[in-house]
Amino acid sequence: MSAQSSIPTQPADGPHELIWPEWVYPYPAGILGGLLGGAAVALVGAAYGLISGIGLWAPVNLVAAVLLRDMQAQSMGTISQFNLPALMAGLIIHALMSVTLGLMFVFILPALPGRPLFWGPVIGPLLWVGAFVAALPIINPIMAANVEVVSFTIANLAYGLVLGWWIDRTPMIHMEH
């Protein structure tokens, strides 16, 4: 983190004005950090699929089921098989979620004390769990029913660590007001 403070500047004309941070992390850092963190999640998911016996393709196919609605009625045996449309849909959804959460992380960082490397493993998983709890049972019931908590936790810790590491090594930029 640069030597500049990430503490918000004081309003010039009184308490009715918004307080904006003077120093922020650039949004592209959140995009790339989110993608790198998403790659870590994918590696953990693939490893879990292989180690657990559910198969390499089940994790990405479960993600794809949010768009490919016919997959909601399929057995885990079918979901565990290679499916090119599911692979493409799952990767796109995963990348979009990873980037969105990376941007959210960069946006809230100036309000947090300390370094991104500390907050990544805290905030990253909280953002994923929030998305999981708030939306997954509604938009993807088969994934909600088949997510294994330990692998999900490890994957999201990996996301947060990689995201925090990437942003921690990115210099802050000064915001013009």
Side-chain angles (χ1 to χ4, degrees), residues 100-112:
T100 299
L101 296 176
L103 283 170
M104 290 172 66
F105 183 63
V106 159
F107 186 74
I108 64 174
L109 269 174
L112 301 173

Side-chain angles (χ1 to χ4, degrees), residues 26-172:
Y27 295 130
I31 292 169
L32 188 52
L35 287 172
L36 292 171
V41 170
L43 289 173
V44 171
Y48 169 74
L50 292 172
I51 293 168
S52 71
I54 67 166
L56 179 65
W57 307 112
V60 71
N61 289 346
L62 285 170
V63 171
V66 74
L67 285 181
L68 306 176
R69 301 307 288 176
D70 62 319
M71 295 181 80
Q72 294 293 327
Q74 294 179 353
S75 70
M76 278 306 292
T78 302
I79 288 176
S80 295
Q81 298 173 6
F82 177 77
N83 178 329
L84 183 59
L87 174 64
M88 300 308 291
L91 290 176
I92 290 168
I93 293 165
H94 182 68
L96 289 173
M97 283 295 299
S98 297
V99 166
T100 299
L101 296 176
L103 283 170
M104 290 172 66
F105 183 63
V106 159
F107 186 74
I108 64 174
L109 269 174
L112 301 173
R115 298 176 62 149
L117 191 55
F118 169 77
W119 287 109
V122 175
I123 300 297
L126 286 176
L127 291 171
W128 276 105
V129 169
F132 177 81
V133 171
L136 201 60
I138 297 165
I139 65 171
N140 196 345
I142 193 164
M143 184 173 177
N146 289 286
V147 166
E148 198 279 320
V149 175
V150 172
S151 69
F152 184 77
T153 302
I154 293 168
N156 290 301
L157 284 172
Y159 175 85
L161 280 169
V162 171
L163 175 65
W165 167 80
W166 180 260
I167 294 172
D168 196 61
R169 58 190 301 276
T170 303
M172 295 179 86

